[in-house]
Structure formats: structure tokens, C-alpha cells
């Protein structure tokens, strides 16, 4: 997680703790100042995270992410979002999906 770019994929069955893992990673990154700016796109925001910009949407909004170094996407099920995650990682972002 200390890498400034790349993709972290969190997978599992329903209610297996994927969101908890994502929140733990985001909390770690924000508390240790490993991400300049962190944004998450979530279907439903269940926990408020300090120093993380949380957007209630499952679609990555390109215009919103240019100043962020870490992008997290909850329930990344669309091909469009999956492709965008890899494109962002290739451009030097850390993507958590």
C-alpha cells in the first residue's frame, strides 16, 4: 500500500467485508499521509472518513479526480469503471476497487 500508484483489487462474496477492507486501507493511507488527496465513489456511504472526499455514486467521474492521488471505487461492476481504474493506475494514481 505504500506504492504511489497501481491497483488494489478487493474481492469476495456479499457481506464478506470488502467495504470494511476498503475503509481500513483508506484510513491507513489518510492517517499516514500516503495519499495527497483521497476520493472514494461509493453506492452508499456507510462510514465518514476523515481526510477522504466521499462521493455517493458508483460511477467514476473523471472531472472530479484530477487532483486526487488515491481513488477508491465501491462495487466496481461496470466494464467502463474497470477500464477507467486501469487507465488511472497507468497515469500514476493508486486505485482501490
Amino acid at each position: 500500500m505504500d506504492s504511489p500508484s497501481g491497483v488494489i483489487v478487493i474481492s469476495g462474496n456479499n457481506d464478506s467485508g470488502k467495504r470494511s477492507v476498503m475503509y481500513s486501507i483508506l484510513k491507513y493511507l489518510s492517517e499516514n499521509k500516503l495519499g495527497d488527496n483521497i476520493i472514494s465513489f461509493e453506492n452508499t456511504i456507510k462510514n465518514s472518513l476523515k481526510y477522504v472526499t466521499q462521493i455517493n455514486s458508483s460511477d467514476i467521474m473523471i472531472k472530479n479526480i484530477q487532483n486526487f492521488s488515491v481513488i477508491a471505487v465501491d462495487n466496481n461492476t461496470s466494464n467502463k469503471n474497470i477500464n477507467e481504474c486501469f487507465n488511472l493506475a497507468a497515469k500514476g494514481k493508486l486505485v482501490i476497487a
Side-chain angles (χ1 to χ4, degrees), residues 2-95:
D2 295 345
S3 176
S5 64
V7 178
I8 298 173
V9 177
I10 303 167
S11 65
N13 296 330
N14 289 341
D15 297 323
S16 63
K18 296 181 296 290
R19 185 184 305 254
S20 296
V21 170
M22 182 180 82
Y23 281 156
S24 295
I25 292 170
L26 293 175
K27 183 177 177 188
Y28 173 83
L29 292 171
S30 66
E31 288 177 351
N32 292 288
K33 309 251 187 275
L34 297 173
D36 296 334
N37 291 306
I38 301 172
I39 189 169
S40 69
F41 296 97
E42 305 172 50
N43 287 335
T44 304
I45 298 172
K46 294 196 175 183
N47 293 322
S48 178
L49 295 170
K50 195 173 185 180
Y51 308 118
V52 176
T53 301
Q54 294 174 277
I55 305 223
N56 195 19
S57 171
S58 61
D59 289 326
I60 298 172
M61 293 178 267
I62 301 303
K63 63 184 176 193
N64 291 336
I65 60 171
Q66 295 177 5
N67 295 324
F68 292 92
S69 60
V70 178
I71 298 107
V73 183
D74 180 33
N75 284 333
N76 192 7
T77 55
S78 75
N79 286 338
K80 175 186 159 199
N81 278 354
I82 292 168
N83 288 334
E84 192 55 42
C85 285
F86 286 106
N87 288 335
L88 291 167
K91 293 177 183 176
K93 308 284 186 183
L94 174 60
V95 179

